[in-house]
Amino acid sequence: MANTKAVNFAEIKANEGAPYAKPVQILDENGNVVNKDLMANFSDDLLVDLMKKMVWERALHEQTMSFSKQGRLGFYAPTWGEEASEMGTAAAFKKQDFLFPAYRDLPQLIQHGATVAQMYLWSKGHIKGNLFDARALRPQIIIGAQMVEMAGGALGIKKNGEKDTVAYAYTGEGGSSQGDTYEGMNFAGAFQAPAVFIIQNNGWAISFPRKLQTEAQTIAQKGVAAGIPGVQVDGMDVLACYEVAKEAREFAAAGNGPVLIETLTYRFGAHSSAGDDPSRYRTDEETKPWFDKDPLIRLRKYLTKKGLWSEDEEQKYTDECKQSFKEAMKEADSVEPEKVSDMLKRTFEVPTPDIKEQIKKYEEKESK
């Protein structure tokens, strides 16, 4: 494969963080190659693998939403439409890297080592949903807080002298409006820590549009004040997301300090399974152009033309994935539910007098 670079992070950093004039793109929405030099970096095997990862995530979303509607899960944040942004970037990192996920990042966490059953248990609020085998924290619920945690993790990597290792975290463009995100970037920039900040600009912080969140022309330029090179990428192009994330990882792992990536993507559905109705704050005229940019469609078109993919193959793989998710739910359902008293016993290492009273109260109820 060729070794053409998509981004010169050193140049951006030297120019006081000014991001590129337009988002990095390799495939357009019609599946046409718009950057032949960068496309040369992709083998046929890698192209198919990235397609399968997106199909896997879309199937995960569909099956998990079905479980949610059945009342078998707690909180779930849909990822429909963000498959390229999430799978493209996640595929660029290595198992030794530290992931600091948010609540919408369960697919990336599974790709990094957690099991689907564990993530279903996490959604159910079960302690065993936190016991996964991956270099990662538990999904963060507080908006933007993972960015501060990740900056500290990246500094730990540097202090410990770990080689070829970075910390990476995701948030949405709404999360970039939180003080935690800037504080994390400023900290990582000040210590030149190996951190990759990924901000998925999906247009909406629940019902609040991006255009009212900030006057900044791009989210990528928010790294300027922290001395961090930022770049925009077409978040519906899995190849561009992969290539930019891979180069960002290499740059940070080489000791050059942190990087900020803004992926321009879109949340097709609701913010969460909790019940917000996107039709109340978005119009069909606004959403249709984004559906036309569906990340699966564009790569499907390209691979089909190359004879590397087919509709039958995709349906077969989708069915296999959904069956595996059903088995994962059976596994999660088979785990004994937690008791309130067990949760209270974990609240403090040494229970306070009030907690001791509550433990006694619930143990009496649970024994009946």
Side-chain angles (χ1 to χ4, degrees):
M1 290 194 296
N3 194 29
T4 302
K5 294 293 185 181
V7 186
N8 187 333
F9 289 109
E11 181 181 53
I12 297 175
K13 189 173 182 177
N15 292 332
E16 295 185 344
Y20 280 14
K22 64 179 183 178
V24 176
Q25 186 183 67
I26 298 175
L27 279 182
D28 68 16
E29 61 190 72
N30 296 311
N32 298 317
V33 177
V34 295
N35 192 317
K36 293 181 179 179
D37 290 338
L38 291 179
M39 178 56 82
N41 293 336
F42 293 84
S43 66
D44 288 349
D45 287 345
L46 179 54
L47 290 170
V48 172
D49 182 61
L50 291 171
M51 183 67 196
K52 292 183 77 171
K53 280 181 166 59
M54 288 199 296
V55 171
W56 171 87
E57 182 174 352
R58 175 111 0 138
L60 178 67
H61 160 77
E62 291 173 352
Q63 189 60 56
T64 304
M65 281 298 292
S66 177
F67 290 145
S68 181
K69 290 175 182 178
Q70 295 167 16
R72 300 171 72 182
L73 292 173
F75 179 84
Y76 169 67
T79 61
W80 182 27
E82 300 182 22
E83 295 88 356
S85 175
E86 294 178 353
M87 291 298 97
T89 54
F93 293 92
K94 300 182 179 181
K95 292 300 181 184
Q96 67 263 30
D97 296 331
F98 284 89
L99 169 61
F100 291 77
Y103 54 79
R104 201 179 301 278
D105 304 325
L106 302 190
Q108 299 97 298
L109 185 50
I110 295 168
Q111 291 291 325
H112 201 55
T115 69
V116 177
Q118 287 168 334
M119 292 300 90
Y120 285 159
L121 284 168
W122 178 84
S123 180
K124 289 171 177 280
H126 201 292
I127 185 64
K128 289 189 176 180
N130 294 320
L131 305 180
F132 45 77
D133 184 18
R135 295 189 102 177
L137 258 64
R138 286 68 187 152
Q140 178 58 263
I141 296 295
I142 303 171
I143 307 298
Q146 68 274 18
M147 296 306 202
V148 176
E149 296 170 339
M150 190 265 286
L155 180 59
I157 291 170
K158 183 175 182 178
K159 291 289 188 181
N160 290 335
E162 287 199 50
K163 303 299 182 183
D164 191 29
T165 305
V166 303
Y168 64 112
Y170 296 81
T171 192
E173 86 292 337
S176 74
S177 298
Q178 293 288 106
D180 285 7
T181 298
Y182 175 73
E183 290 163 14
M185 290 194 296
N186 190 61
F187 184 93
F191 286 99
Q192 290 295 279
V196 180
F197 296 85
I198 303 170
I199 297 178
Q200 300 192 95
N201 180 355
N202 68 19
W204 294 87
I206 307 184
S207 60
F208 202 69
R210 181 260 191 254
K211 63 184 178 182
L212 297 180
Q213 293 177 43
T214 177
E215 277 296 302
Q217 287 188 324
T218 69
I219 304 297
Q221 71 193 68
K222 291 195 173 190
V224 172
I228 297 177
V231 63
Q232 275 190 330
V233 59
D234 180 349
M236 308 300 265
D237 177 0
V238 69
L239 306 186
C241 289
Y242 173 82
E243 184 63 29
V244 169
K246 180 171 70 71
E247 293 179 21
R249 186 200 175 278
E250 292 171 352
F251 182 84
N256 297 306
V259 174
L260 169 61
I261 300 172
E262 175 190 0
T263 66
L264 297 172
T265 184
Y266 199 75
R267 167 167 58 80
F268 285 164
H271 169 75
S272 78
S273 59
D276 75 289
D277 179 5
S279 68
R280 296 180 64 183
Y281 52 85
R282 299 193 309 208
T283 65
D284 291 341
E285 289 74 20
E286 177 198 339
T287 57
K288 186 183 183 305
W290 284 101
F291 277 102
D292 292 339
K293 297 176 182 178
D294 187 314
L296 272 69
I297 292 175
R298 70 173 69 183
L299 187 56
R300 182 189 299 133
K301 286 181 176 179
Y302 178 76
L303 293 182
T304 300
K305 284 186 289 187
K306 289 197 68 176
L308 297 173
W309 196 251
S310 69
E311 184 178 335
D312 289 344
E313 186 175 1
E314 183 170 332
Q315 186 59 57
K316 182 175 182 291
Y317 185 61
T318 297
D319 293 341
E320 291 173 357
C321 289
K322 289 187 176 182
Q323 182 57 40
S324 72
F325 303 149
K326 292 174 183 177
E327 294 300 319
M329 180 54 80
K330 287 182 182 178
E331 181 183 340
D333 285 342
S334 71
V335 175
E336 183 179 355
E338 285 198 278
K339 298 177 181 178
V340 175
S341 59
D342 291 335
M343 180 272 292
L344 291 168
K345 289 173 184 177
R346 293 194 302 268
T347 303
F348 294 99
E349 183 176 5
V350 178
T352 63
D354 286 347
I355 294 293
K356 286 181 179 179
E357 288 182 12
Q358 292 179 50
I359 291 172
K360 181 180 178 181
K361 171 186 173 183
Y362 280 100
E363 283 183 333
E364 290 175 352
K365 286 185 176 181
E366 292 160 355
S367 64
K368 295 178 180 178

